[in-house]
Amino acid sequence: MPKTEDHQIPIIAIVGRPNVGKSSLFNRLIQKRVAITSDIAGTTRDRIYYRLEVGDITSILVDTGGMEYGKKENIEADVQSQARIGIAEADLILFVVDGSEGLTSNDYEAAQILRKTHKPILFIANKSDHTGMEEQRHELMKIGFGEAIEVSAIHKAGIDELMITLEKTLKKQGWKPQVAAPENKNVTNICFVGRPNVGKSSLVNALFGEEKLIVSPIAGTTRDAVDVGIQWKGQEYNLIDTAGLRRRGKIEVGLEKLSSLRSLEAVERTDIACLILDFKEGISKQDMHISSYIVEAGKGLMLIVNKSDLMKKRDEEENRFLWNLKHKFDFLPWAPVIFVSALKKTNIEKILDIANQIQSERSKTIDLDELDGFMREVTYRHIPPKVGINRPKIYSLEQSKVNPPTFTFVVNDGKSLHFSYRRYLENELRKKYGFTGTSVKFIFKTKEYEKKGPPRKQK
Ligand code: GDP
């Protein structure tokens, strides 16, 4: 697919017949490359897409293995269903075969289907960690994609090299490092995401029906025809991809399903993502996946529960919904939830009021002395648990950025702090300083001293 102005993030799809190790490779590639702290408990295993930083290029990695439906024996149907959903959107395909078994007729069939897509393909032989690889190499060439990139997802072999090849390939295709939300910091960027039929278009149209709302072109955003600038209570907002939602009729619902991965691009450009839910449907795994993505991308998040006009006992049903979010799904406790009705136009204005609050939380800074005290207090109350015989140590903490608020911890070993301890730190930080409605980012930097030994003079 050729790149266009509104097509800025490469989608990389892992494709291949069953059992070649697509999911293992997927997991290996995303491991430690994403901010796992923020993943919502219980959803990691069935996620099929992740935000993957390939060098300095942000991409979306898709595991089409998770999309296989139908009988596994029916490779053609399998690959075709993958082709329809995953491959159709991919900018680069990682075609995976089994380097220990050699090629099967299913691989050849898959290859043929992939060739027809005319998409760029990287040919990968997984499980290439066995002794017979010499003979296998020649055999693998026969499928016509040149020499295979040899990896072992399980034994972590060839993964760094694959990442380097990926980066080179994407750069050659012309992909650039992602430019974050438009620069103008007086403007808050907002996007609306959610499953088909939750009422995104209705909600956007209801928002535009608000009397106090002024639609105004904002300098710097005109480049993008699908964005809409608005003013609300003297504050400027840029609604990303909104023109499309306003125009859209029902006919396109099916089409939208297919392009759901593309809608993640709007998330990349935004400050705040509004995830729309249908009160009757509740929250689904798919909603949690997109929320995890929003958090990984370091954005603000608000949950808008639409169709509240269908509630019979309002308080009771709202409480049940909130209880479910909190207890059943272990959902992000810091994301504000509002109940609205696009149909009755209730609570619509609250969306922008809350967006404004989230944006000020995203711009907040905590000074160094204050954070130093915080760090001493929380590590005193709960010392980082030992890893083997070593106890991780945190030396200092500072806020290195805003939008999203980013905190840099200098530690003796950046990798040693346990996931649950990172979560503890985030919870404590939020308890003390708020940051309601926004993700926060933690960077754990290994102290130079520990890495290289003591420097001669300074420190
Ligand atoms: P989208 O696919 O998310 O953009 O959803 P639409 O805006 O097209 O809405 C899907 C369906 O839900 C339509 O039939 C709408 O009339 C209906 N709908 C949207 N908002 C509401 C609401 O607040 N209450 C009720 N009862 N129905 C709604």
Side-chain angles (χ1 to χ4, degrees), residues 4-9 223-224 226 241 262 265 269:
T4 62
E5 278 280 286
D6 61 339
H7 182 170
Q8 299 174 336
I9 301 178
R223 171 187 73 81
D224 222 312
V226 288
D241 269 355
R262 278 281 157 238
E265 271 180 351
R269 291 198 292 129

Side-chain angles (χ1 to χ4, degrees), residues 193-205 245 248-250 252-253 256 276 278 280 305-310 340-346 348:
V193 290
R195 283 177 290 152
N197 277 324
V198 289
K200 292 184 296 298
S201 319
S202 311
L203 208 56
V204 163
N205 286 321
L245 282 177
R248 208 165 49 79
K250 275 220 207 105
E252 288 180 61
V253 165
E256 186 199 36
I276 323 283
D278 181 329
K280 289 182 302 174
V305 189
N306 189 27
K307 310 195 185 179
S308 64
D309 54 285
L310 298 174
V340 307
S341 164
L343 191 74
K344 297 271 154 64
K345 298 193 169 37
T346 35
I348 302 298

Side-chain angles (χ1 to χ4, degrees), residues 124-394:
I124 297 172
N126 189 29
K127 312 188 195 177
S128 294
D129 46 6
H130 60 98
T131 45
M133 233 11 241
E134 275 300 319
E135 298 120 65
Q136 209 60 274
R137 248 169 231 143
H138 187 66
E139 157 86 12
L140 292 176
M141 298 271 284
K142 288 185 189 157
I143 204 160
F145 292 115
E147 260 177 59
I149 302 168
E150 294 171 20
V151 304
S152 167
I154 298 292
H155 297 111
K156 300 189 199 175
I159 300 299
D160 290 341
E161 292 82 354
L162 173 59
M163 285 301 288
I164 292 168
T165 310
L166 265 181
E167 187 181 350
K168 277 191 194 147
T169 310
L170 292 176
K171 289 203 165 142
K172 225 191 260 171
Q173 288 182 330
W175 297 99
K176 300 256 157 32
Q178 174 69 11
V179 194
E183 279 300 293
N184 189 347
K185 276 298 131 215
N186 296 321
V187 178
T188 301
N189 296 286
I190 302 178
C191 76
F192 295 91
V193 290
R195 283 177 290 152
N197 277 324
V198 289
K200 292 184 296 298
S201 319
S202 311
L203 208 56
V204 163
N205 286 321
L207 189 63
F208 279 92
E210 287 291 313
E211 270 172 31
K212 281 177 265 175
L213 190 98
I214 305 164
V215 179
S216 62
I218 304 167
T221 62
T222 42
R223 171 187 73 81
D224 222 312
V226 288
D227 292 0
V228 181
I230 58 165
Q231 268 184 32
W232 171 258
K233 297 184 181 168
Q235 191 61 41
E236 293 195 1
Y237 301 86
N238 179 37
L239 305 183
I240 292 176
D241 269 355
T242 302
L245 282 177
R246 286 188 81 187
R247 277 195 304 270
R248 208 165 49 79
K250 275 220 207 105
I251 319 121
E252 288 180 61
V253 165
L255 193 126
E256 186 199 36
K257 235 179 215 159
L258 285 183
S259 59
S260 58
L261 288 169
R262 278 281 157 238
S263 68
L264 296 172
E265 271 180 351
V267 173
E268 289 294 334
R269 291 198 292 129
T270 202
D271 294 306
I272 299 165
C274 300
L275 176 64
I276 323 283
L277 304 170
D278 181 329
F279 145 74
K280 289 182 302 174
E281 311 269 322
I283 189 159
S284 69
K285 280 270 161 76
Q286 212 181 324
D287 296 318
M288 293 202 234
H289 295 164
I290 197 166
S291 307
S292 291
Y293 187 96
I294 292 165
V295 176
E296 277 156 30
K299 307 300 180 178
L301 171 65
M302 106 172 68
L303 302 183
I304 301 179
V305 189
N306 189 27
K307 310 195 185 179
S308 64
D309 54 285
L310 298 174
M311 290 179 181
K312 291 194 180 76
K313 293 180 181 164
R314 202 182 165 108
D315 284 353
E316 211 175 282
E317 293 183 67
E318 281 190 9
N319 283 337
R320 193 179 320 135
F321 197 100
L322 292 171
W323 192 92
N324 267 338
L325 277 186
K326 195 165 167 212
H327 298 279
K328 206 159 139 197
F329 300 108
D330 189 17
F331 203 74
L332 302 165
W334 50 257
V337 185
I338 46 172
F339 293 88
V340 307
S341 164
L343 191 74
K344 297 271 154 64
K345 298 193 169 37
T346 35
N347 257 355
I348 302 298
E349 76 288 352
K350 248 193 168 172
I351 296 172
L352 295 177
D353 290 340
I354 290 184
N356 199 19
Q357 287 162 19
I358 295 180
Q359 192 59 357
S360 67
E361 289 291 293
R362 285 174 68 76
S363 330
K364 202 162 76 177
T365 53
I366 313 289
D367 77 38
L368 201 58
D369 283 351
E370 174 66 38
L371 282 176
D372 194 53
F374 165 79
M375 195 230 1
R376 283 170 202 282
E377 189 193 318
V378 291
T379 50
Y380 176 75
R381 234 184 309 135
H382 183 173
I383 309 172
K386 273 188 179 173
V387 179
I389 52 162
N390 298 318
R391 187 172 305 278
K393 239 194 247 152
I394 303 176

